[in-house]
Amino acid sequence: MSLRITIATARRVLAQLMHDHRTVAMMLVVPCLLLTLLWWVYDGGPVWDRIGPALLAIFPFMIMFLVTSIATLRERSSGTLERLLSMPMGKLDLLVGYAVAFGAVAVVQALLAGGLALGPLGLDVAGPAWILLGIAVLDALLGVALGLFVSAFAASEFQVVQFMPALIIPQFLLCGLLVPRSELPDVLSAISDVLPLSYAVDAMREAQLSADPSVWAEITIVVGFALGLLALGATTLRRRTA
Amino acid sequence: MLDGFDLDVPPGTLTGLLGPSGSGKSTLMRAIVGVQKIAAGSVEVLGRPAGAAELRSRVSYVTQAPSVYRDLTIRQNLRYFADVLNAPGADVDRVIEQVDLVRHADQLAANLSGGQLSRVSLAVALLGTPELLVLDEPTVGLDPVLRQELWQLFHQLAADGATLLVSSHVMDEAERCERLVLLREGALLADDSLPSLLEHTGTPDAEQAFLHLVSKASHP
C-alpha cells in the first residue's frame, strides 16, 4: 500500500464530489429532512425517541451504499479503473482512498443529522452523543464497503440501483427497528443475526438506553463486516480482463 | 483472436500498427500492456513479462475510449494521475502544453469535445518518463493540423529514446512510422519499413500494399 496514492485518491474522489453540488447537498440535507419528517410524524413523542437512534444508523448506511456503488461502477465503466490498475496503483490504495473520502463526508453527515436529532428535535438518549455519532460514521463506512463490493456485480447503473431494494431493505426490515429482533420468528431472527445492520442498530439502542453503554462487541462486528467487504471488493478488481 | 504471432519491437523506434477495425490491434496492445487475459503464448516487455508490477510506471497506455474523469478539470485529472505515477508536479503543465490544451486546462473534462477529451487521455500517458508508449488510435477524429503536431511529438519522444507503438486504421498514417506492422483478422500480414514494403509489393502507397497483401493471403 502507498500512502501517497491513497491520499491522492481520496482527494480526487472529494474533488469529483465538489464539482457535483447537488449530490453533496442531497447527501447532507436528505438525512436531516427525513429525520425531521419522522419527528413530525410521531409528534416528537416516545416512538420518535425509540426509533430515532436506529435511523441515525440506517440513513448514512443507505446513502453511502448508493453513492459508492454508483461512483465505483462509473470508475469501472469509464476505463479509468483499467488505466489505474495498469499504473503502480495497489487495489487497497484505491479502495481505502474511496473509503477515506466517503468516510469524511459521512463524518459531516453524522454531525449534521446527529446534531439536529439530539438538539432541535430533542431526541432523548442516555448515552454520550459521541458514541451515537461514532456508530453513525461506522455505519456509513459499512455502506461504502458494501457499495464497493456490489458494484462489481452490476453492469449498469440501473442494476446498481436495484441492489438497494435487494440488499438494503431486507436488512432494514430485520434489523429490529420494526419488531425487536428477539420477537422475530426463529428463522428471521437467525437471518438477522448474520446481517451487519442488525448490530449497528443494536449498538444504537444500547447507546440510547444506557448512560455507560457497552457497544464494543457490536462495533467490532460492524467494523469486521466493513473490512471483510473491502477485502472481497479488492478481489473483484482485476488487472487482466478478457 | 491473435494467431501465429511473432513480433519484436526494437527499443527507441516508432512502430505503426495498422489494420482495419477488428483486426486485433487493440487485443495485441492490451496483451503488451498486460491487461489482456492470454490463452497461450508469452509477451515480454522491456525484458520482463508483460504486466509485471515494475513495468507499471515504465509503460504507458492509451485506450481508444478516453479514460479520464469527466467530472474533474483537465488539470485535476492530470495532477491525480501524476500523483499515482509519482511524476514530478511540473509534468502536469508540460503535458498540457504538449497536447495543446493550455487554454482549456481548468475546464471540466465533461465540457470538452471528443478530440479534446482524447488528447487529455493521451496527456496522461505522457506523464513521467515512460520507456514504452502504447497508443491505441490516438489521432482518430482529430483535425489534420493537430494530427501532424501529435506525430511530430511521437517522433520527438522516439528520438529521446522512448519506444512507441501507435495503432491506426487510417493507412495514410503509415508514412509517418519508421516501421509498419500490418494486421488482418488476427494474423500478421507484414512487418517492414514503408519503402521496403512498397518495393516488395510493387505498390505506390500503404493502402495499395495492404490490399495487395490481403489478396495474396487469400489466393496464395
Side-chain angles (χ1 to χ4, degrees), chain B residues 19-59:
Chain B
S21 308
S23 59
K25 301 188 296 288
S26 296
T27 309
L28 177 59
M29 294 187 133
R30 287 170 50 83
I32 290 169
V33 179
V35 296
Q36 176 75 35
K37 275 188 186 155
I38 301 178
S42 71
V43 183
E44 203 171 89
V45 177
L46 305 172
R48 305 279 306 141
E54 59 179 273
L55 289 177
R56 286 182 201 135
S57 53
R58 298 169 67 196
V59 176

Side-chain angles (χ1 to χ4, degrees), chain B residues 116-143:
Chain B
Q116 290 169 333
L117 204 57
S118 62
R119 276 184 283 153
V120 182
S121 196
L122 174 63
V124 175
L126 303 174
L127 292 165
T129 41
E131 293 162 58
L132 171 65
L133 290 100
V134 179
L135 312 176
D136 201 351
E137 308 223 351
T139 58
V140 75
L142 298 182
D143 64 74

Side-chain angles (χ1 to χ4, degrees), chain B residues 67-207:
Chain B
S67 311
V68 295
Y69 298 100
R70 285 163 172 73
D71 45 2
L72 291 180
T73 66
I74 295 182
R75 197 184 297 281
Q76 284 175 325
N77 264 294
L78 291 166
R79 197 173 295 149
Y80 172 55
F81 287 112
D83 280 343
V84 172
L85 291 164
N86 207 11
D91 268 21
V92 172
D93 286 320
R94 170 178 64 84
V95 299
I96 290 177
E97 205 162 313
Q98 280 177 323
V99 298
D100 196 21
L101 285 172
V102 176
R103 280 185 304 124
H104 305 278
D106 294 308
Q107 223 168 302
L108 221 50
N111 299 335
L112 299 174
S113 73
Q116 290 169 333
L117 204 57
S118 62
R119 276 184 283 153
V120 182
S121 196
L122 174 63
V124 175
L126 303 174
L127 292 165
T129 41
E131 293 162 58
L132 171 65
L133 290 100
V134 179
L135 312 176
D136 201 351
E137 308 223 351
T139 58
V140 75
L142 298 182
D143 64 74
V145 178
L146 209 54
R147 260 168 56 182
Q148 168 106 12
E149 281 174 19
L150 286 180
W151 278 101
Q152 271 168 11
L153 172 64
F154 299 157
H155 280 288
Q156 185 56 49
L157 291 167
D160 293 343
T163 307
L164 285 90
L165 188 60
V166 184
S167 78
S168 175
H169 65 269
V170 188
M171 289 294 161
D172 67 5
E173 293 203 320
E175 64 202 46
R176 305 181 195 268
C177 305
E178 297 163 45
R179 179 155 169 259
L180 296 178
V181 173
L182 294 184
L183 282 186
R184 184 171 168 269
E185 291 176 358
L188 191 70
L189 274 188
D191 173 10
D192 213 339
S193 72
L194 183 62
S196 154
L197 186 70
L198 297 184
E199 196 187 305
H200 267 304
T201 54
T203 49
D205 58 38
E207 183 145 358

